[in-house]
């Protein structure tokens, strides 16, 4: 027991030091990248507003959410604060401009985060279908995976194909060089990541795990995560040449060896620095690697920053 106390003091100092490092970097570098002042007039239809005939898949900076369907996970005020990473429903996230979703499921097709569960995947699908019915030119990148430590839902690949078949974009490396107008009326790139079941086959309706990659580090230290994200991103091929999606997550996560284990105050250590991260990508010459940018508790400003970069790429200002 006594040995834990000095460790907690050191951890508190490390967090404080890293938060100061983030503030200092922000103060010295600011938030300045091409078109950074852009605010889309209609976030619900922001892809349509950028001209579907000019917007290539590889030029999109996709705004995404981490643990997307956790708005009602667990029990309010009891277990929810330990697993909730979003307060908005999937439909609400779509309306404010989110276009990439990280959905974790367990064997009974309920969405989960670790041991905590929430509503059925059917609710997610209902929200997506509602949004698709209300828009014409928005493309969604949907990642569904079996949560760590859980079993795959039976026959889940067939279930997803049945639910989304008519709007699914086939797995095809040529998709990355196409405009979204060329993909219509198909609207969803669905990546299915089972734990034990076979991966989706090449050329099928669903995309396999090799088409969506990231380099996750499990830390609650904001500067450590920020610099790690930049390092791993710099090692990726440019978006114009790669045939997979690469995700950067502007998040930090609670650690079991530290008293603060609620998601919001922990991830808040890095949440406000999304625009700083984009600025650093430009200043370090790796902006042409940035493709999916995800966050906890997504907001309109995060979406706007991603739309601004996308716009600048279309206009060849990036």
């Amino acid at each position: 027991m006594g040995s834990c106390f000095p460790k907690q003091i050191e951890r508190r100092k490390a967090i404080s030091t890293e938060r100061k490092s983030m503030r200092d970097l922000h103060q010295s570098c600011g938030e300045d990248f091409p078109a950074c002042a852009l605010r889309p007039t209609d976030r619900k239809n922001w892809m349509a507003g950028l001209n579907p005939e000019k917007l290539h898949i590889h030029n999109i900076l996709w705004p995404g959410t981490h643990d997307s369907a956790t708005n009602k996970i667990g029990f309010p005020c009891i277990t929810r604060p330990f697993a909730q990473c979003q307060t908005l429903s999937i439909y609400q996230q779509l309306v404010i401009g989110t276009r990439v979703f990280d959905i974790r499921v367990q064997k009974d097709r309920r969405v989960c985060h670790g041991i905590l569960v929430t509503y059925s995947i059917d609710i997610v699908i209902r929200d997506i279908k509602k949004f698709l019915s209300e828009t014409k030119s928005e493309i969604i990148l949907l990642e569904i995976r079996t949560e760590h430590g859980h079993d795959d839902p039976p026959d889940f690949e067939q279930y997803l194909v049945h639910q989304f078949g008519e709007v699914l974009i086939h797995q095809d490396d040529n998709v990355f060089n196409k405009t979204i107008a060329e993909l219509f009326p198909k609207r969803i790139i669905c990546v299915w990541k089972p734990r034990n079941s076979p991966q989706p086959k090449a050329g099928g309706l669903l995309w396999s795990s090799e088409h969506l990659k990231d380099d996750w580090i499990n830390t609650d230290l904001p500067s450590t995560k920020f610099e790690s994200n930049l390092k791993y991103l710099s090692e990726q091929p440019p978006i114009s040449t790669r045939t997979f999606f690469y995700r950067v997550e502007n998040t930090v996560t609670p650690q079991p060896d530290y008293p603060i284990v609620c998601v919001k105050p922990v991830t808040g250590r890095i949440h406000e620095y999304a625009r700083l991260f984009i600025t650093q990508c430009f200043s370090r010459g790796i902006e042409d690697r940035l493709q999916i940018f995800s966050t906890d508790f997504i907001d309109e400003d995060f979406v706007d920053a991603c739309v601004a970069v996308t716009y600048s790429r279309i206009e060849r200002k990036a």
Side-chain angles (χ1 to χ4, degrees):
M1 182 76 174
S3 63
C4 292
F5 189 63
K7 290 180 180 179
Q8 294 300 333
I9 293 176
E10 290 302 314
R11 294 276 286 112
R12 186 179 296 272
K13 287 180 179 178
I15 292 168
S16 178
T17 298
E18 293 219 0
R19 296 186 77 171
K20 182 178 184 304
S21 295
M22 294 300 300
R23 290 193 298 269
D24 290 347
L25 181 63
H26 191 215
Q27 185 174 7
S28 63
C29 299
E31 302 172 348
D32 185 19
F33 51 88
C36 63
L38 179 73
R39 304 287 173 179
T41 56
D42 182 4
R43 294 183 183 89
K44 186 176 180 179
N45 293 281
W46 68 262
M47 288 182 172
L50 295 182
N51 190 344
E53 295 183 356
K54 295 173 64 178
L55 182 54
H56 289 79
I57 291 295
H58 71 258
N59 276 335
I60 299 170
L61 177 49
W62 301 75
T65 49
H66 169 244
D67 268 304
S68 304
T70 53
N71 55 307
K72 292 185 177 181
I73 200 162
F75 295 99
C77 303
I78 301 174
T79 57
R80 186 166 296 171
F82 304 118
Q84 184 184 54
C85 297
Q86 309 296 331
T87 56
L88 302 177
S89 69
I90 296 299
Y91 176 75
Q92 290 169 329
Q93 291 176 47
L94 283 161
V95 169
I96 71 163
T98 308
R99 294 295 178 266
V100 180
F101 296 95
D102 159 25
I103 310 294
R104 316 275 185 94
V105 294
Q106 60 182 27
K107 188 175 182 179
D108 63 1
R109 295 184 183 172
R110 293 177 73 186
V111 177
C112 59
H113 183 189
I115 62 172
L116 297 179
V117 297
T118 181
Y119 41 70
S120 165
I121 189 68
D122 293 336
I123 303 299
V124 173
I125 292 171
R126 183 199 66 189
D127 280 6
I128 291 172
K129 287 182 175 180
K130 178 182 179 182
F131 177 77
L132 292 178
S133 72
E134 296 171 352
T135 59
K136 295 181 179 179
S137 302
E138 307 304 299
I139 302 291
I140 298 169
L141 177 51
L142 177 63
E143 177 200 35
I144 305 182
R145 54 175 142 161
T146 305
E147 178 67 303
H148 180 74
H150 291 274
D151 293 327
D152 299 324
D155 303 317
F156 199 62
E157 181 171 348
Q158 295 92 321
Y159 170 78
L160 293 173
V161 169
H162 175 73
Q163 291 293 325
F164 291 127
E166 65 211 23
V167 292
L168 289 173
I169 298 168
H170 285 66
Q171 187 278 307
D172 181 354
D173 291 348
N174 293 319
V175 164
F176 294 93
N177 292 316
K178 292 183 177 180
T179 65
I180 61 174
E182 290 177 296
L183 297 175
F184 295 153
K186 310 299 184 181
R187 306 277 300 278
I188 298 176
I189 296 171
C190 184
V191 178
W192 164 226
K193 295 184 175 182
R195 293 192 63 80
N196 301 308
S197 305
Q199 288 281 328
K201 295 179 180 179
L205 283 168
L206 303 184
W207 297 53
S208 66
S209 60
E210 67 184 40
H211 292 101
L212 177 52
K213 303 178 183 181
D214 53 37
D215 288 288
W216 174 266
I217 68 163
N218 190 18
T219 181
D220 62 355
L221 299 173
S223 184
T224 295
K225 185 62 174 286
F226 190 90
E227 291 299 329
S228 171
N229 282 343
L230 287 166
K231 173 184 177 294
Y232 284 119
L233 182 63
S234 71
E235 296 169 354
Q236 303 307 311
I239 52 176
S240 60
T241 64
R242 66 177 180 243
T243 54
F244 61 89
F245 293 96
Y246 184 79
R247 174 172 52 204
V248 173
E249 301 199 71
N250 191 59
T251 61
V252 289
T253 51
Q255 301 300 302
D257 64 345
Y258 194 69
I260 302 177
V261 292
C262 295
V263 173
K264 195 154 195 175
V266 174
T267 201
R269 298 168 190 164
I270 198 172
H271 185 271
E272 66 185 287
Y273 299 115
R275 285 180 176 264
L276 175 63
F277 184 84
I278 295 174
T279 300
Q280 286 295 295
C281 287
F282 277 90
S283 67
R284 302 186 193 197
I286 57 173
E287 72 283 352
D288 64 342
R289 273 82 166 157
L290 190 56
Q291 187 174 42
I292 297 175
F293 199 26
S294 290
T295 186
D296 291 324
F297 304 105
I298 197 164
D299 53 34
E300 292 171 342
D301 186 67
F302 187 93
V303 170
D304 290 355
C306 294
V307 175
V309 174
T310 305
Y311 170 80
S312 71
R313 287 172 173 172
I314 295 173
E315 299 301 316
R316 293 184 172 83
K317 295 177 181 178

